[in-house]
Amino acid sequence: MRVGSWLTAKKHSNASTLSLNSLDEPQNLEDAMRAATQIMNDDVDAAEAGLKRGNSAFHKVSDAFLTRQGQGSFNVPKMMMMKNPNEYADKLVKLGKGVVTFMRATLGFEQETMREASEFLGDAEATASADLRRAQHEATSFHSSIYPPGSEYALCNAEAQLMGAIVGLLNESLTESIKGFYKLRKAYMSLDGILEAEVKYMRGKTDSMSARSSIEADRSTMPGSFHNETQHLQHSKLRNALSPDEAYVRHEGGVEDDSDVFVDAVEDVHTTSTLTTYTGQIDEEEVHENFAAFTLEITESHASRNRPVVDHDPDSEFFSNPIDVFIHSGANLCFGVLLLMISMIPPAFGKLLYIIGFKGDRERGLQMLWQSSKFHNINGALAGLILLGFYNNLIGTCDILPDSDSGYLDGYPVKMCQELLSDMRRRYPKSHLWMLEEARMEAADKKLEHAIEMLDEDMSSPLKQVEALAMFEKALDSMYCHKYSLCAESFIKCVALNNWSHALYYYIAGAAHVELYRQYKIIEPTRAKEHAAKANENLQMVPSLTGKKRFMARPLPFDVFVSRKIQKWQHRSSDWGIPFVDAIGVSPLAEMIYFWNGFKRMNSTHLNATLDQLSWSLNESANPTWKSEALDERAIHSVLRAVIFRHLGEVEKSQDILKHEVLIHDRNLFKGHLRDDWTCPSAHYEMAVVCWLKREQPDKGKECAEWLDKAARWESYDLDARIGLKVTTAQDTLRKYNLMV
């Protein structure tokens, strides 16, 4: 996939033949972007067909374009005719396939698709790098009024690096994951330079207009027009401010090649079917060892963090050139994603910040994504998808957030999200991606049954990963509203649609049958026996499926968690001499609901149903083993009840349960072989949430920060990254209110 080839052409062997290719370039780009955007409308065939139409990309520019150019809105240098127009079309086909492959990789997490995406993106990065060097040194290259020569290729290069970094981070190989972090650094350098040039131009434009207004008040000019002398000065300033060595690549000769930097890291590829220890936290010595091969020197400048976000609308005179629109929307998309990603790294992975060399900025990243979403191209569509995913999935799992009317974007701006979704549905009426996001918004609004109805509609798509995501969402919503049969059925269907974590799918399906078994155990023993058999079948499959998927060369946290739980129940079954299904402790389904923060999506009926679900453990006639339960199992029961009461508005009751049933015990008592060690740090986080709800009371904000600090500093435990995301978001919120030390 040669991304840079969107915007370039080869020289004809006959140098005397002049070309209008630079005039065609914006139209070529518009055609390519229009075709690529069809991907966001679930129309992959139309996207590839549009990209294959190479002839139309080389037509003479339209009269309107010529008229606008004649008015002096921007200079267009002359280039030579392309020798083989079909070559351009072939490159665009690669581009379309590359984008589709990237989306499939990130939506579905299949390793084979990720490897394919890595190959496309590696080719794209190399090509864009070569085109960037050419554009910086050839006088015939396109010259923007806003950006220095080659900015379009610098952006293509950064986009390839960013997409490659994301794929690398999702890879099972530690080496590829580390390469991913290094690519993030390189993308940061390119994007930072582009945006710095943009801000300087905007400031110069404003100052220039003010000066002309005061000195030549009686002189009128066309919107967006510039005198040649002014253009020359602006380009000169931008070249000085954004030289190739200092801005885009800061490496001699262009973008540095990874091949000489990285060697394979030592990875333990032998995994057993039994996983009991989660090593999710990144060890500092391991980071230093794997990065000893190169030097990390980039640091974030104060100017970068304080630089304003240019928020002009698409119809602004600043963006009369489609290439400028492409650069602006793309740079805001990529830099916004980058800042947002880094800002969400949980405390357990804090050492990774050493690799990256700069900090995230969630608020600024969101501002840039909202700005990009204004533009009706694939950059804007991707920005909209990321924003809705962030608010409906990530923010949906967090509790300590700015008020929705506070003006901060990292709360949950409901009205903005609704308007964005409506806009995207109008732009892409056939896309199931937006239907999925609409269902997620319904679930976030505690309308779980309606969300399930929406997901029951035909969700088939050329991107099979969209269908898999819809089924997974339906399975989760069914779990939240206690539709146990539908939950089990939907998770089993996920096995056929996606191969990311079959162990998790079978585990939750089995847990749903456990609930049905308990529901019918006394009133319908025969029916209960059927569900006991299904629960046993699904849960006993889990150990053989764990350890096959890895993240940064480590087992998936959920795989480790469910494998340990199965071992714990098997051990109890043997020790107590009872069937496996009767050795299962506090509702494993309610436990899963907590880790996905489904309680936040429940209405009072669903919450009270969960309390009934948990009360089964206390029923001695149904569960005679409760009196033998250890502290860690009882703590699960207490934490889950405390969270439910908090969501029901009974904050004091929630606090009392946490204090007197969990936090009163020595933290070391929760540790040990096969024990659930997540309850104590989670109780600290939950106490912080309780204090946040009471923040109007004296010193409650300070107490909230103290509980969060304790949770953030906790040693490794089950699913610590998942709790850590909540902690990181909470700490970021408190900083906005000057409550963090």
Side-chain angles (χ1 to χ4, degrees), residues 364-376:
R364 185 161 171 251
L366 289 169
Q367 288 177 6
M368 301 181 86
L369 287 169
W370 279 107
Q371 173 64 12
S372 180
S373 70
K374 296 177 182 178
F375 293 86
H376 289 223

Side-chain angles (χ1 to χ4, degrees), residues 381-562:
L382 287 172
L385 187 63
I386 292 166
L387 283 168
L388 292 173
F390 170 77
Y391 289 117
N392 293 331
N393 293 325
L394 297 176
I395 287 298
T397 67
C398 300
D399 304 285
I400 301 178
L401 298 166
D403 296 331
S404 58
D405 58 353
S406 65
Y408 290 113
L409 292 176
D410 53 350
Y412 195 155
V414 178
K415 185 176 180 181
M416 291 177 64
C417 289
Q418 290 173 341
E419 291 175 350
L420 175 63
L421 179 60
S422 296
D423 185 32
M424 292 299 171
R425 288 298 302 270
R426 284 193 297 269
R427 292 192 212 176
Y428 313 106
K430 295 190 295 183
S431 175
H432 290 83
L433 278 170
W434 310 111
M435 293 173 63
L436 173 60
E437 292 302 331
E438 187 172 359
R440 285 173 172 168
M441 289 188 72
E442 287 294 287
D445 197 28
K446 306 182 188 300
K447 300 175 182 176
L448 290 169
E449 285 81 5
H450 186 226
I452 293 173
E453 289 177 8
M454 295 180 65
L455 294 167
D456 274 336
E457 297 180 12
D458 182 16
M459 295 295 289
S460 58
S461 168
L463 290 170
K464 71 172 184 177
Q465 291 78 6
V466 176
E467 184 178 354
L469 283 172
M471 184 58 65
F472 184 71
E473 195 70 23
K474 178 181 176 181
L476 289 177
D477 290 345
S478 303
M479 179 172 69
Y480 302 152
C481 61
H482 306 291
K483 295 180 181 292
Y484 303 131
S485 295
L486 181 60
C487 173
E489 175 188 327
S490 300
F491 272 110
I492 294 300
K493 287 182 178 179
C494 286
V495 173
L497 293 171
N498 178 273
N499 63 7
W500 174 241
S501 182
H502 287 182
L504 177 64
Y505 302 154
Y506 279 112
Y507 178 86
I508 299 181
H513 283 295
V514 169
E515 296 302 331
L516 289 167
Y517 162 72
R518 292 178 175 180
Q519 183 175 318
Y520 296 113
K521 183 177 181 181
I522 296 177
I523 59 176
E524 293 186 48
T526 303
R527 193 171 181 182
K529 188 177 180 180
E530 294 174 359
H531 288 295
K534 291 180 180 179
N536 191 69
E537 178 187 357
N538 289 329
L539 293 173
Q540 295 293 354
M541 290 181 65
V542 170
S544 64
L545 297 171
T546 58
K548 296 184 177 181
K549 295 293 179 181
R550 301 170 74 81
F551 174 71
M552 294 185 66
R554 299 168 183 270
L556 298 180
F558 263 117
D559 278 10
V560 177
F561 176 83
V562 299

Side-chain angles (χ1 to χ4, degrees), residues 343-364:
S343 74
M344 293 187 298
I345 290 181
F349 293 89
K351 296 301 179 185
L352 296 178
L353 293 174
Y354 167 84
I355 301 174
I356 302 166
F358 59 89
K359 297 180 180 179
D361 187 334
R362 186 173 302 185
E363 184 74 15
R364 185 161 171 251

Side-chain angles (χ1 to χ4, degrees), residues 637-699:
H637 192 266
S638 298
V639 170
L640 295 179
R641 285 169 49 242
V643 176
I644 294 170
F645 283 123
R646 169 169 64 81
H647 282 285
L648 284 170
E650 300 183 46
V651 178
E652 294 296 335
K653 191 169 186 177
S654 174
Q655 178 178 275
D656 288 343
I657 292 173
L658 294 169
K659 280 186 175 181
H660 301 301
E661 298 182 20
V662 182
L663 297 172
I664 194 174
H665 299 288
D666 187 328
R667 61 192 288 177
N668 292 311
L669 296 176
F670 297 91
K671 302 176 184 178
H673 180 58
L674 299 182
R675 291 183 182 176
D676 285 271
D677 60 356
W678 62 268
T679 52
C680 199
S682 295
H684 281 70
Y685 168 76
E686 291 300 327
M687 283 296 295
V689 179
V690 167
C691 292
W692 176 250
L693 295 174
K694 297 176 166 183
R695 61 188 178 276
E696 299 301 327
Q697 299 179 16
D699 297 327

